[in-house]
Amino acid sequence: MLFRKKPRTPTTTSLPENLDLFDGLPDDLVVFILCKLSSSASSPSDLINILFTCKRLNRLGLHPLVLSKAGPKAFAIKAKNWSESVHRFLKLCANAGNVEASYTLGMIRFYCFQKRGSGASLMAKAAMKSHAPALYSLAVIQFNGSGGSKSDKNLQAGVALCARAAFLGHVDALRELGHCLQDGYGARQNVAQGRRLLVQANARELASVVRSRSLLTWQRPHQNDSFPCSTGSCCEGLLSDFGCNVPAPEAHPVNRFLKEWFESSRGGLGQGLRLCSHGGCGRVETRSHEFRRCSVCGKVNYCSRGCQALDWKQRHKLECMPMERWLDEVGAVDNVADGVGGMVEVEDDIE
């Protein structure tokens, strides 16, 4: 007698109604996902909102690995939102090994809270991990002797830090190094090499725009127009002279923070101290007459030649001298690569 097997009926496993699938994910996988999120965060809220979601995400979101991967935009804090909790969060990220947090907190401590030692130490911590903006900021401090007296300037150290930052691709450092070689400032004068570096800085500026935009707009000035753009709103950047509509380079979040801080009521400038006249810098003098002023008009001052070159092309060349004089002298500018005026120190008459 043959027995026919009964067909198997699929068994359905019913999940408890109160079961959350997220609880079944291992911590390592959640930490990996949070690392990706923190590194690609477009604003601080992208990371902070995760910490407020639940206790588990709060615990794993504060994991040192997650904090160490946070990108620059995760620390793009506005000056009006500064608080002690923000300070603790930046310190927590810096202790986790995040170089951006070390640089950001170092700049804020050095310039906003006048804690020169701890601020420079945090920037040096980031610089030792090849953080280009930190290297350049330390170079500016060495060039100006910031936090000390005029005798604390170390031009050779500034040039060395600029060279390292330029090697890592920092455009402002490359431009500063070109000016140092061209002027013999802290290094043996080499005009040809200096101008080559300035042209290279312009080329890197253009390359960064091409990478970030799918289409680059080129302008051909009209024959009857002496200036392609009289307001500077559509021809910003150092490549406008070549007919290229390149926007001004985006400032680092901490530079925007410094500018907002000192222009607000929270961070008033000390007596006789001035901000760098370049709008994307935000650095402030640590002693009276620390920055060098424009040698033509004497009305603006800059922390570096890099800031002067950017501000000259974006704004100051239309304000520095009468328009008729600019038309007469624009063809006889010594600096062929950038076309900027000179700077003069004013401390010799003070100290």
Side-chain angles (χ1 to χ4, degrees):
M1 185 176 180
L2 298 176
F3 294 94
R4 186 175 297 176
K5 293 183 178 180
K6 294 182 179 180
R8 292 183 179 181
T9 57
T11 58
T12 58
T13 57
S14 58
L15 298 175
E17 295 181 358
N18 59 349
L19 179 63
D20 189 352
L21 296 178
F22 175 71
D23 294 335
L25 295 177
D27 285 352
D28 292 345
L29 179 59
V30 178
V31 168
F32 175 79
I33 295 173
L34 291 177
C35 287
K36 291 291 186 180
L37 187 145
S38 64
S39 62
S40 61
S42 60
S43 65
S45 60
D46 291 348
L47 185 58
I48 298 299
N49 289 338
I50 294 296
L51 304 179
F52 292 150
T53 303
C54 64
K55 290 183 179 180
R56 188 186 184 198
L57 285 180
N58 182 275
R59 174 174 59 84
L60 297 179
L62 294 177
H63 192 281
L65 188 59
V66 176
L67 298 179
S68 66
K69 298 295 184 180
K73 293 184 178 180
F75 306 119
I77 305 160
K78 294 187 178 296
K80 63 180 181 180
N81 297 330
W82 179 262
S83 63
E84 186 59 33
S85 60
V86 175
H87 192 182
R88 287 196 303 268
F89 178 73
L90 283 174
K91 188 176 180 181
L92 196 64
C93 293
N95 292 336
N98 190 300
V99 292
E100 282 293 341
S102 297
Y103 172 61
T104 300
L105 186 57
M107 289 282 284
I108 292 173
R109 283 187 177 181
F110 189 90
Y111 288 104
C112 298
F113 300 137
Q114 292 82 45
K115 295 181 179 179
R116 315 296 185 194
S118 63
S121 177
L122 284 168
M123 283 187 275
K125 182 180 177 181
M128 285 188 292
K129 295 184 179 180
S130 299
H131 188 264
L135 286 163
Y136 177 66
S137 293
L138 290 174
V140 173
I141 290 174
Q142 293 293 335
F143 282 135
N144 296 319
S146 301
S149 63
K150 183 181 178 181
S151 60
D152 293 322
K153 292 182 179 181
N154 191 334
L155 305 185
Q156 289 75 19
V159 170
L161 289 166
C162 265
R164 177 60 179 166
F167 175 77
L168 295 172
H170 197 275
V171 177
D172 289 340
L174 182 62
R175 185 173 291 120
E176 189 76 23
L177 184 62
H179 283 297
C180 288
L181 291 175
Q182 185 173 255
D183 301 337
Y185 190 72
R188 180 176 296 179
Q189 188 174 20
N190 189 332
V191 177
Q193 178 70 2
R195 291 184 177 180
R196 187 183 70 82
L197 292 180
L198 292 175
V199 173
Q200 187 177 351
N202 288 349
R204 288 192 183 183
E205 183 185 43
L206 176 59
S208 65
V209 176
V210 172
R211 285 195 301 266
S212 61
R213 295 190 175 192
S214 58
L215 179 63
L216 187 65
T217 303
W218 292 86
Q219 291 184 339
R220 177 173 294 180
H222 298 291
Q223 295 180 355
N224 297 329
D225 292 343
S226 301
F227 296 92
C229 178
S230 60
T231 61
S233 59
C234 64
C235 297
E236 298 175 347
L238 293 179
L239 293 172
S240 59
D241 287 346
F242 300 99
C244 182
N245 184 9
V246 178
E250 184 180 0
H252 192 280
V254 73
N255 293 101
R256 294 198 298 267
F257 179 92
L258 294 179
K259 183 175 176 60
E260 293 173 2
W261 180 271
F262 288 110
E263 289 182 348
S264 66
S265 57
R266 301 193 65 173
L269 292 172
Q271 185 176 4
L273 302 183
R274 300 165 298 178
L275 275 169
C276 177
S277 296
H278 174 41
C281 177
R283 292 180 177 86
V284 66
E285 291 179 322
T286 61
R287 65 180 185 277
S288 181
H289 300 288
E290 175 184 335
F291 295 162
R292 292 177 293 170
R293 67 186 180 188
C294 176
S295 61
V296 178
C297 66
K299 296 180 180 180
V300 293
N301 50 275
Y302 302 100
C303 66
S304 62
R305 287 297 300 268
C307 281
Q308 185 204 15
L310 287 171
D311 193 57
W312 173 262
K313 284 293 184 183
Q314 295 172 18
R315 178 186 63 89
H316 189 56
K317 71 176 181 181
L318 301 176
E319 304 173 353
C320 187
M321 61 184 74
M323 193 69 69
E324 295 79 12
R325 184 181 172 191
W326 192 90
L327 288 171
D328 293 337
E329 298 184 4
V330 68
V333 178
D334 292 334
N335 191 341
V336 177
D338 275 346
V340 297
M343 290 199 297
V344 61
E345 298 192 36
V346 297
E347 289 185 317
D348 292 336
D349 300 331
I350 305 298
E351 298 179 356

